[in-house]
Amino acid sequence: MTAKRIGGLVPLLAGAAMLAAPALAQNTSSLKYTLVLDGLENPWDMAFLDDGTMFFTEKCKGLSVRMPSGDVHAVLGMGGSDGYNSTADDLFCEGQAGMMGVAVDPDFANNRRLYVYSTSNMADPHTNRLMRFVVSDDFSAVSDRTDIVEDVPYKMAASDHPFGGPGAHNGGRVRFDADGHLWLTTGDNHNEAIPQSPTLMGSKVLRLDTDGNAAAGNTPPDGFDPRTYTYGHRNVQGIAFHPGTGTPITAEHGPWHSDEITVLVNGGNAGWDPRPNMAGRGDCPDDYCGYSPNQMDGMNRYERAAFMPMTDFATYPDAMPPIWDNNGWSQGTSSAAFLEGDAWGNWNGNMVVGIMGIGFGGTPLGQRIDVVEFDEDLAVVDVTEMTLPDGMEAGRFRSLVLGPDGSLYAAVDEGMIHKLTP
């Protein structure tokens, strides 16, 4: 597979030495491409069993499972969906909200548990919920719904912002780590109060047990909800765990600038604070400064970042520093996964991130898969763009998941799930 160098290392903090950035050696193998599914509606996430059984979500439709035979069972529909074994009438989609992340219990062979994150109108105001289900023996149905997290906030009303309709910024990725902890990422809802709030569960990365309780060992600041692992995020849709150390690493959308990759620190602050009258700013549209200044118009990304930083070190000098920032661009950096296996050659152990592309204000469109190489200290050594194989078109790469066969599966908003095999 061929690759070209793109992106950049995040500027280092004052006093730190600039790291060298040697080129990532090309992987000399070739990628085999398979179209796994098409004709879907905004596929959002996938989760696998060891035999290749694949659960997948569609944002405005529901949960399905693709069997190793290729047969697809439509298992759980959202309110108004047709053709599903059952529907949950409280689940709905609006804007960026809907049915999002999915994860399989590490002990699925014994408990048949599955976890799904979706927007629900069961409460008023509505919330995003992490639900636990039991999958039937024939994979045709789910039962025993238990809402283990009920209080992730949802944006109820439109606001004066880009993409300002209801349903903005929900996070949505659900993953297990190697120790059996359940992780959930959440977003800020265009609500200036959420990121630094100790009790509102948006803009957080949650580390949980399988009943939705705080995982043992979480160390958030005093007064914070104990489920909090990190806070002060904008809208994390990518989280992956380094295969050598288990360290959690997030990929996150920037606000017209500065998509970021961050190594998480237990109890850490990601430094996002879009409140008015902070860091030298005055008032902002609908009290949210997240796209300011000139929120509807393009401008120099570094000037915008100085006014409304993604990670505000001036206000929060101990904030977790990003290890990569996409050369200051915002292109919709979304999902994240690690490539594992000798078949990946020089890319074995590297992280891949899906970039969806927005093209705002002169921003290059993006829509690519980046391969991120780390050194032993988890600093970014280099970033390359994966050259897609013949027959596969770029798209809005919403989810990247390593399958049990060692292949990389990629879901794109355009309605397809692809498989890339080294």
Side-chain angles (χ1 to χ4, degrees), residues 1-322:
M1 68 192 72
T2 57
K4 61 183 179 181
R5 172 105 184 259
I6 60 99
L9 303 181
V10 68
L12 300 182
L13 299 180
M18 180 60 71
L19 295 175
L24 178 65
Q26 289 189 4
N27 188 312
T28 56
S29 63
S30 59
L31 285 171
K32 178 182 177 182
Y33 164 61
T34 305
L35 178 61
V36 178
L37 290 170
D38 64 356
L40 305 178
E41 183 177 317
N42 293 115
W44 213 97
D45 203 9
M46 302 89 74
F48 287 89
L49 301 180
D50 288 343
D51 66 357
T53 299
M54 180 181 75
F55 297 92
F56 65 94
T57 58
E58 295 171 84
K59 181 168 69 77
C60 289
K61 294 184 67 176
L63 170 71
S64 300
V65 56
R66 181 183 184 272
M67 304 302 294
S69 65
D71 294 339
V72 175
H73 302 160
V75 176
L76 178 69
M78 305 174 73
S81 295
D82 297 323
Y84 286 82
N85 181 290
S86 62
T87 57
D89 289 340
D90 66 299
L91 304 184
F92 73 98
C93 73
E94 175 75 25
Q96 299 170 24
M99 188 174 286
M100 293 168 275
V102 59
V104 174
D105 195 291
D107 196 29
F108 182 89
N110 294 313
N111 61 31
R112 302 194 67 80
R113 287 179 170 178
L114 186 75
Y115 302 81
V116 180
Y117 180 70
S118 184
T119 312
S120 166
N121 62 20
M122 189 177 296
D124 195 10
H126 307 333
T127 61
N128 293 295
R129 293 173 175 240
L130 181 58
M131 303 168 290
R132 188 180 69 207
F133 296 95
V134 174
V135 180
S136 66
D137 289 343
D138 64 358
F139 293 91
S140 68
V142 292
S143 61
D144 298 340
R145 171 179 166 179
T146 303
D147 293 11
I148 63 173
V149 176
E150 303 178 346
D151 58 344
V152 178
Y154 164 82
K155 183 183 180 184
M156 292 289 291
S159 60
D160 177 21
H161 300 112
F163 306 103
H169 292 187
N170 308 279
R173 205 62 65 183
V174 184
R175 292 289 182 265
F176 277 94
D177 65 19
D179 295 324
H181 297 125
L182 179 59
W183 298 71
L184 173 65
T185 71
T186 68
D188 74 3
N189 297 172
H190 289 163
N191 182 331
E192 74 286 352
I194 285 177
Q196 298 296 323
S197 169
T199 56
L200 297 173
M201 297 315 293
S203 297
K204 310 294 189 290
V205 175
L206 283 60
R207 187 172 69 161
L208 312 162
D209 66 19
T210 55
D211 291 321
N213 302 310
N218 288 359
T219 58
D222 290 345
F224 272 67
D225 189 296
R227 295 170 294 176
T228 302
Y229 189 82
T230 55
Y231 65 102
H233 294 280
R234 182 175 180 270
N235 189 31
V236 175
Q237 289 190 354
I239 186 168
F241 305 94
H242 186 267
T245 65
T247 303
I249 302 175
T250 55
E252 186 166 5
H253 299 289
W256 293 156
H257 66 84
S258 304
D259 292 345
E260 291 182 348
I261 295 174
T262 304
V263 173
L264 299 188
V265 177
N266 195 353
N269 184 357
W272 175 244
D273 191 348
R275 288 177 290 181
N277 304 305
M278 294 287 295
R281 297 185 298 270
D283 294 336
C284 300
D286 285 350
D287 292 328
Y288 179 80
C289 301
Y291 300 96
S292 297
N294 303 325
Q295 64 173 20
M296 297 298 183
D297 299 306
M299 64 180 292
N300 181 281
R301 61 195 187 278
Y302 299 115
E303 293 180 15
R304 192 188 298 277
F307 185 90
M308 182 61 249
M310 179 71 162
T311 303
D312 183 357
F313 290 111
T315 305
Y316 305 105
D318 294 329
M320 299 177 294

Side-chain angles (χ1 to χ4, degrees), residues 359-383:
F360 168 79
T363 301
L365 182 61
Q367 298 191 350
R368 63 182 189 266
I369 298 173
D370 280 355
V371 184
V372 183
E373 181 187 15
F374 299 99
D375 65 16
E376 60 184 10
D377 296 319
L378 298 186
V380 173
V381 174
D382 203 16
V383 181

